């Protein structure tokens, strides 16, 4: 009796990857959906921090949501620890912002290839569409990615299969190529039609902003940090995903929370940085100096005034702010009066 074939699917939770899985499942192939967490997925990062949407509802990872809805077996794999080098030193460079799309895709395919052995899978599937994205989804880039990952011939793209070279699962007859699609370009007309045909009645609308690395604001903060501090650490990358960022005239970096979820995250770092918290309701902040020197009294007052701007002050715009240095034998703690800064000053410090 012939073995039932199995595929590993790279699954974002978006419409394209959902359709790709359905097309392959409909050919009697077992599919395991794999969602890679890089640390830079906007929705998943906010969900993990417990942040809320403006309407008060919780963030939900699309992969979790739609795998449950459509009955996909889902494995979430955290690759964030290994992903740091991909972001900071991509072999094939960046896209429009700080998005190392070619290196990112190749890295995910390498991980998927490892999972093939673990789950006894025969090939990999992806929801990619030829020429949908400028950096990583043209034919030359697709070939480069597969060669770099060592998965040449193993990656089937069901939505564009008919306009791409046949893959091993097609050549060996595990998959009927004629039942796949030949979609090219950015139009989603065929995907929407196919969704109706396959019973996909709910899906995420494409926003083009599911990854912090493609975000212009993130890129600006990344480049500013690199230019001022001459390096980027792993923790710097994660800090760039939260808060309001400021650079004092002295070079000290300040990150101020925007909501309760970010506040909780920042509180978790209070032993590693200078930490500022209002005596009352308001934002919290962390600060780090260049070369790890202590904050000056003037800097402490400036940061307290900055925190006061985002806190509930009295009618004179004042509030007491507690502060502490990083945990050590000589830890410094105290309270200082913060007074709301003028917007002109705030904007001159904002990154």
């Amino acid at each position: 009796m012939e073995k039932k074939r199995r595929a590993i699917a790279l699954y974002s939770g978006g419409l394209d990857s959902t359709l790709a899985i359905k097309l392959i499942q409909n050919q009697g192939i077992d599919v395991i959906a794999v969602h890679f967490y890089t640390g830079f997925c906007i929705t998943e990062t906010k969900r993990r921090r417990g942040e809320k949407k403006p309407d008060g509802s919780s963030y939900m990872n699309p992969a979790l949501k739609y795998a449950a809805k459509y009955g996909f077996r889902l494995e979430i794999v955290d690759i964030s620890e290994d992903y740091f080098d991909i972001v900071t030193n991509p072999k094939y460079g960046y896209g429009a912002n700080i998005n190392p799309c070619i290196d990112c895709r190749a890295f995910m395919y390498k991980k998927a290839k490892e999972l093939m052995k673990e789950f006894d899978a025969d090939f990999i599937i992806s929801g990619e569409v030829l020429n949908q994205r400028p950096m990583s989804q043209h034919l030359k880039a697709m070939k480069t990615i597969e060669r770099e990952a060592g998965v040449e011939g193993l990656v089937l793209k069901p939505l564009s299969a008919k306009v791409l070279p046949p893959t091993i699962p097609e050549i060996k007859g595990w998959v009927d190529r004629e039942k796949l699609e030949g979609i090219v370009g950015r139009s989603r007309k065929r995907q929407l039609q196919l969704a109706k045909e396959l019973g996909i009645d709910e899906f995420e609308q494409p926003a083009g902003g599911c990854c912090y690395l493609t975000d212009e604001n993130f890129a600006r903060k990344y480049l500013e940090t690199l230019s001022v501090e001459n390096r980027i650490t792993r923790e710097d990358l994660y800090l760039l995903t939260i808060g309001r960022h400021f650079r004092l005239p002295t070079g000290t970096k300040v990150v101020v929370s925007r909501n309760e979820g970010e506040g909780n995250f920042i509180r978790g770092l209070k032993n590693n940085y200078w930490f500022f918290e209002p005596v009352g309701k308001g934002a919290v902040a962390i600060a780090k100096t260049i070369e790890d020197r202590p904050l000056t009294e003037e800097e402490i007052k400036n940061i307290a005034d900055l925190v006061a701007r985002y806190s509930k002050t009295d009618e004179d715009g004042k509030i007491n702010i507690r502060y502490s240095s990083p945990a050590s034998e000589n830890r410094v703690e105290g309270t200082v009066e913060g007074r709301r800064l003028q917007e002109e000053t705030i904007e001159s410090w904002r990154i």
Side-chain angles (χ1 to χ4, degrees):
M1 185 174 179
E2 186 177 353
K3 168 192 171 184
K4 183 174 182 178
R5 299 296 167 180
R6 174 176 291 165
I8 296 290
L10 274 63
Y11 190 54
S12 67
L15 177 59
D16 289 351
S17 54
T18 300
L19 292 173
I21 291 176
K22 280 290 189 181
L23 285 170
I24 298 305
Q25 283 184 329
N26 285 352
Q27 295 203 31
I29 293 169
D30 185 26
V31 178
I32 299 175
V34 175
H35 180 74
F36 289 117
Y37 175 65
T38 65
F40 297 100
C41 170
I42 293 174
T43 302
E44 175 61 9
T45 301
K46 289 182 176 181
R47 184 187 75 84
R48 290 189 178 206
R49 287 202 292 255
E51 293 183 36
K52 300 293 184 182
K53 295 180 181 180
D55 64 3
S57 62
S58 299
Y59 285 94
M60 186 168 187
N61 186 322
L64 285 168
K65 179 178 179 179
Y66 293 109
K69 179 176 175 64
Y70 298 115
F72 302 155
R73 175 182 171 183
L74 178 68
E75 299 286 337
I76 295 183
V77 180
D78 190 330
I79 59 173
S80 58
E81 285 298 312
D82 298 329
Y83 199 71
F84 177 74
D85 290 336
I86 301 296
V87 178
T88 55
N89 190 32
K91 179 178 178 180
Y92 294 96
Y94 298 113
N97 293 300
I98 309 297
N99 45 310
C101 293
I102 292 177
D103 295 83
C104 173
R105 206 67 184 173
F107 184 65
M108 289 185 177
Y109 280 154
K110 286 178 184 177
K111 292 296 183 182
K113 186 179 181 181
E114 294 172 7
L115 292 173
M116 284 175 62
K117 297 177 183 178
E118 180 178 344
F119 293 111
D120 191 28
D122 302 287
F123 61 100
I124 300 165
I125 64 173
S126 164
E128 291 168 281
V129 171
L130 182 65
N131 295 337
Q132 187 181 73
R133 297 186 186 278
M135 185 177 185
S136 62
Q137 292 184 8
H138 56 85
L139 186 57
K140 182 179 179 181
M142 287 178 171
K143 289 181 177 180
T144 298
I145 290 166
E146 292 181 21
R147 183 177 66 250
E148 189 73 25
V151 293
E152 293 171 290
L154 287 174
V155 182
L156 175 61
K157 302 174 177 70
L159 296 182
S160 292
K162 288 182 178 179
V163 292
L164 294 172
T167 58
I168 290 171
E170 295 166 276
I171 293 169
K172 292 194 172 184
W174 303 338
V175 174
D176 185 347
R177 182 179 174 89
E178 293 305 309
K179 294 180 181 178
L180 303 177
E181 296 290 317
I183 303 172
V184 179
R186 299 177 66 86
S187 172
R188 294 173 61 80
K189 184 177 179 180
R190 175 55 186 155
Q191 285 98 314
L192 294 174
Q193 181 183 15
L194 191 59
K196 291 181 180 180
E197 295 173 8
L198 296 176
I200 307 298
D201 59 0
E202 183 185 356
F203 47 86
E204 293 288 297
Q205 294 300 322
C210 62
C211 176
Y212 281 111
L213 302 176
T214 66
D215 181 75
E216 184 178 348
N217 292 326
F218 182 96
R220 184 184 66 254
K221 291 183 286 188
Y222 177 98
L223 294 172
E224 191 275 345
T225 300
L226 194 60
S227 67
V228 175
E229 302 178 25
N230 297 316
R231 66 185 184 124
I232 290 280
T233 66
R234 191 185 305 272
E235 199 159 73
D236 286 332
L237 282 176
Y238 298 141
L239 283 178
L240 294 177
T241 68
I242 67 164
R244 308 171 179 93
H245 287 239
F246 302 91
R247 183 77 63 180
L248 301 186
T250 56
T252 292
K253 173 80 165 285
V254 184
V255 181
V256 182
S257 66
R258 294 173 295 190
N259 53 52
E260 184 179 359
E262 289 186 348
N264 292 336
F265 182 81
I266 287 176
R267 284 187 179 90
L269 301 172
K270 65 187 299 182
N271 287 329
N272 301 334
Y273 297 91
W274 284 82
F275 177 71
F276 291 77
E277 182 176 34
V279 180
K281 294 183 178 180
V284 298
I286 52 175
K288 67 170 184 171
T289 58
I290 296 176
E291 298 179 351
D292 297 325
R293 62 170 176 78
L295 288 177
T296 66
E297 289 186 9
E298 182 180 6
E299 287 176 314
I300 290 172
K301 182 63 168 68
N302 284 339
I303 297 168
D305 290 345
L306 189 56
V307 172
R309 166 61 182 82
Y310 300 103
S311 300
K312 187 175 181 180
T313 61
D314 64 20
E315 59 185 17
D316 295 321
K318 296 184 293 184
I319 187 173
N320 287 332
I321 306 292
R322 287 189 292 259
Y323 65 89
S324 59
S325 64
S328 69
E329 292 180 4
N330 301 313
R331 189 166 196 173
V332 176
E333 297 180 314
T335 301
V336 62
E337 182 183 86
R339 182 185 292 269
R340 281 173 169 260
L341 283 171
Q342 297 295 319
E343 287 299 321
E344 181 179 350
T345 301
I346 289 175
E347 290 308 314
S348 70
W349 295 351
R350 191 185 300 275
I351 298 172

